[in-house]
Amino acid sequence: MRKAIWRAVIEVGFVVFLFYSNLLMGEFMHSGKGRELGLAWAIADIVTPANFAIAITAALIGYVVFEFLRSKF
């Protein structure tokens, strides 16, 4: 049981990391404001409660789907 919980935490954490790294890259590549205002501004702009809720929700849904697929195949 304990191993399954750690596995879930690691997988969800990795998806959240990928989500935030994608947002951070977008601040520098697409909007262009990250280049002008710097890294600290870009991080402050993407680390919001709404983005965190989206990241956790997407990561949990992804975890449930992949665990379902792992048990099926």
Side-chain angles (χ1 to χ4, degrees):
M1 180 71 178
R2 197 170 184 175
K3 188 175 180 180
I5 292 172
W6 274 112
R7 180 178 177 162
V9 168
I10 290 169
E11 289 183 16
V12 167
F14 185 67
V15 172
V16 170
F17 167 76
L18 291 176
F19 176 79
Y20 275 109
S21 64
N22 189 29
L23 285 176
L24 188 59
M25 285 189 296
E27 285 291 338
F28 284 94
M29 299 301 293
H30 300 293
S31 72
K33 281 196 159 190
R35 291 182 197 170
E36 297 169 10
L37 301 174
L39 181 62
W41 175 86
I43 290 173
D45 190 47
I46 64 171
V47 179
T48 64
N51 282 344
F52 185 71
I54 292 167
I56 292 295
T57 303
L60 290 173
I61 290 170
Y63 176 74
V64 169
V65 168
F66 276 101
E67 282 301 312
F68 173 77
L69 292 174
R70 280 186 188 129
S71 68
K72 278 288 202 198
F73 301 104

